[in-house]
Amino acid sequence: KLKKSSAPMARHVLEMKEQIGQLAARLAKLPRSRLKNATKRAAVLVPICTVKGGEPSILYNLRSQHMTSHAGEVSFPGGREEKGDASLVETALREAEEEMGLPRKRVTVLGQLEEVKSKHGLAVTPVIGIVDGIIDLKTDNLVNPESGEIEENFTVTLKDLYNPSNWVLVRQNL
């Protein structure tokens, strides 16, 4: 499904290796506190990828309009922890494979962020991972039609995410 690049990594990706190492080290130092009163847990994968053209980006999903929960929302691949999951990292990787067909072996996990409470009361752990290879959304099928959960995928470059002029603060009560 995803193309493994045999070409040398783009120069800026190699330059980012040190920053990625620093990010992984910082993630490892984060406290692993759990939310109080959370009985159900979930995890999402925050996939950092390289898109055609070499830009480091974050891969997002647009949820199907037909879903009973989170219909039409922008999301990361993820879901509830299942009994067979060895960890919340495993939950995030399993869900990415089920929803997107993204093989676990293509993701290098850098670490986890602290749990956050979802609007449905779940304790959600964001798992940060690097996707191996180049992703071309025009030719790579990252929507598993059997799951029916994802309508489409899109990416936002890290450069655009880092640019403060692209940010808008919206407050909402959950």
Side-chain angles (χ1 to χ4, degrees), residues 94-153:
R94 175 184 51 75
E95 288 284 344
E97 195 162 35
E98 288 175 4
E99 293 175 12
M100 301 170 60
L102 180 63
R104 301 164 205 222
K105 66 183 178 189
R106 298 291 304 274
V107 179
T108 301
V109 173
L110 297 181
Q112 304 170 46
L113 300 175
E114 288 190 76
E115 288 182 328
V116 293
K117 187 176 180 180
S118 77
K119 67 182 181 182
H120 297 292
L122 293 169
V124 180
T125 299
V127 175
I128 312 300
I130 303 285
V131 178
D132 183 35
I134 305 285
I135 291 180
D136 182 350
L137 293 178
K138 291 181 181 175
T139 59
D140 293 323
N141 182 14
L142 292 177
V143 176
N144 182 356
E146 293 174 14
S147 81
E149 295 181 41
I150 307 302
E151 197 167 299
E152 64 181 303
N153 308 105

Side-chain angles (χ1 to χ4, degrees), residues 37-49:
N37 303 324
T39 57
K40 295 187 179 177
R41 300 211 172 323
V44 295
L45 178 65
V46 180
I48 301 171
C49 63

